[in-house]
Amino acid sequence: MIPEVGAFSLILALCLSMMLATLPIIGAYQNNFLWMSMARPLSAGVFVFLAISIAILAYAFVTDDFSVQFVAQHSNSLLPDRYKFTAVWGGHEGSFLLWTFMLAGWMLAVAIFSKSMPLEFVARVLGVLGFLITGYILFMLATSNPFDRIVPLPPIDGADLNSALQDFGFIIHPPTLYMGYVGFSVVFAFAMAALLSGKMDAAWARWCRPWANTAWAILTLGIALGSWWAYYELGWGGWWAWDPVENPPLITWLFGTALIHSLAATEKRGVFKAWTVLLAILAFAGSLLGTFITRSGLLTSVHAFASDPDRGFFILAILGITVGGALLLFAFRAPLMKSEFGFDLVSREILLLSNNVILVVAAASVFLGTLFPMVYQAITDDLISIGPPYFNAIFIPLMALLALLLSIGPYTRWKRTSTTYLMQQLGKIALAALTLGVVLPLLVTRQISLPATMAVAIGSWIMLAMLQDLMNKTANKATRLKGLRALSFSYYGMQMAHMGMAIMLIGVALTSSFSSERSVLLSPGQDVGLGNYVFQFEGTASVNGPNYVGEQATFTVLEQGQEIAILHPERRIYLATNTPSTEMAIDAGFLRDLFITLGEQKEGDSWSMTIYVKPFVRWIWLGAIFMTFGGILAAADKRYRRLRRKQTESNRDSEKSNPIGGELQAGS
Amino acid sequence: MKPHRRKKLGIILFIAAGLSVAVGFTAFALKQNINMFYTPTQVAEGEVGAGQHFRIGGMVKTGTVLGATDSLKVKFVTTDFVSDVPIQYEGILPDLFREGQGIVAEGEMDAAGVFQASRVLAKHDENFMSPEVKAALDAAGASTDNYMPGGAN
């Protein structure tokens, strides 16, 4: 009975979202105050009913209701409770419910935190989101209802959650990634609302910026969590595989990064208006593309869900209608978007434009590499794959170029910057960065290596430029502290995200160039050396978990004869599915990770295993954390809140004087 | 031409030049890194050029997996139930590698007709069969249904 309530609640959410998709938008056209003002309560209603749905699904998991097909396929009575709860997103149906619920959460947030915008605009934003969520719920009810029952004979026990998913990373990575992904729907809805209203001034950009920054920050964290999880769970020692399902979030992220930069130019200077709208559409299309690739099963990937062509077709239809419709609307409105064009060749506008061109080219080449095999197969019927070397060949030079320009950006001024000023400010920094790049690796490793030099030079180029900029900005205040306090959250957010980029680049460059690995066969008592470390295999013992049995090995790691770590990699067999799984052991450190994966037992007591030393690998995720905080800091800037207060007051005044049509003027 | 128009044109030309360089490099990189996929039958019929780097997919033939006792070398035979191709690999096989399971291997043929794999992939979800392996079996006319535990969902 209870699962039926969940399905019923989904249907109710569908009814409400259909109303949300139509009434407020029509209301905004006809200037019908009542219909427009229904947007907020309807959004709240959709949220509530989707929350009930997902709570009921979670309840079915926790109470082991295996008559529900989705629960039977993805849970087992032996599964620990925390994984029973998170198994809600352990398969296609439930994870799509989570995705839809996340969108409802964003809608609720827009409904609550939109007091500064005119009602007409809010009605359109929520209406567009209502249209999207209608499509999602229809998709769920038509092709992938998580509440479908197995009748008449439900299984006694479930098939268990995929063993690779029984991990902490699985608890946090999907929700965070989805939240960031779906956040770009909100940005898309803002752009659509602006297009629908025909008022393409800087106002929509200002309203949109905190949302875009927040979505970007969460997406950054979501991708980084996925990378970190893959690193310690999949046991191949890598942190990014250019897998077809990893790429769409990256494409979305690249478009999103371009977008948050061009939004700044649109808001402050009224330039690149049409371009910014286009980027908002592209970022959103990237997020739908990810859903399509994951759920249609068209590409080979570790992430792919067991697939069904109907689903792929349905998602393709949603993608076609929303993105196609958006581009059509864009084409009609583009002539309205006249950008002012008053800037010189050396100016902040040009730097932001370069940033955008680089990021969009990067996104396009990742897109090409991801979809090319599919297109090639459709045309020639031959199966091909595009390897990581393609992506590396494109991506590394582009990111290096981006990093070079990144330091110059904050020094430029809007409209015009003198080249002499830039030279005078940055010349010394460039010299210092180059010197550091040559000397520092030489001192530490006693050899010259190009990747290390590049990494240190680019990293210090960004960080030194940042410090110098901070000094400049605080130079005229009474004390440095006062100066630091006077700087805005946006400024700190930007610097922090840029520093994150520097940290990540250093990590990527060093770990890619200096990681070492060795696959060996060892018997207890034997040891093997790698780099400065000696790994001593002590032996194995059997372990029993709640739903698995396994062997646990013990290793002692020595550095110059000193014991520095004891590691316990495991080899498990999950009982319900009889699947083997390796649990690697990692000794994590700021400067290096030591990492062992256990293979299989060979003749006698000997085991095959792979041992890795990965310098600076943590810096990759540390950089992402900096970026996330940077994005959130920028979104939390006081000026958005000031704006909200001011605007709320003026909205209230205008409503008082003209209770029906008073929202029209509250634009700027 | 008005000055601001000229500037606009300059910027557009600059972007266009940048984009064409990018497109050129991308196309080149793409061409260098395409891995063709072949089925065991295609390999047996000699469709693969000498020294070509490619992917092969099929089932691990039951009873053919031979691991060396003193090293990490493994030999097995992959099949689409029409033709067989022997594969040699040195390293640790993925968790879900086992006999009767679909795999995809990447590498090249040596002079002796053995496929020297640099990478072996098996799926994480055993209900899910790689489209490549499925295509290989379909092409050979073998029924795939019997080899998918849990049925074709």
Side-chain angles (χ1 to χ4, degrees), chain A residues 473-541:
Chain A
K473 290 231 160 48
T474 54
N476 296 329
K477 293 286 189 293
T479 64
R480 291 270 174 215
L481 198 65
K482 265 191 191 150
L484 288 176
R485 280 214 199 115
L487 291 170
S488 68
F489 274 26
S490 307
Y491 175 78
Y492 281 119
M494 173 194 77
Q495 292 291 27
M496 201 156 174
H498 284 177
M499 194 157 108
M501 176 86 180
I503 295 171
M504 183 182 275
L505 282 175
I506 294 176
V508 169
L510 294 182
T511 199
S512 306
S513 322
F514 298 106
S515 288
S516 45
E517 63 174 87
R518 202 168 160 185
S519 292
V520 286
L521 197 65
L522 291 184
S523 302
Q526 287 184 314
D527 60 38
V528 62
L530 185 62
N532 299 326
Y533 307 96
V534 174
F535 296 79
Q536 202 165 317
F537 182 36
E538 310 289 358
T540 57

Side-chain angles (χ1 to χ4, degrees), chain A residues 425-475:
Chain A
Q425 288 291 325
L426 291 166
K428 267 180 256 159
I429 293 176
L431 207 64
L434 268 179
T435 319
L436 272 178
V438 174
V439 172
L440 209 59
L442 201 63
L443 282 180
V444 177
T445 62
R446 303 195 182 284
Q447 51 194 328
I448 291 174
S449 111
L450 190 64
T453 301
M454 295 265 291
V456 176
I458 288 180
S460 42
W461 161 245
I462 294 173
M463 291 196 200
L464 289 175
M466 196 187 101
L467 278 179
Q468 167 83 30
D469 194 48
L470 260 178
M471 299 300 271
N472 291 351
K473 290 231 160 48
T474 54

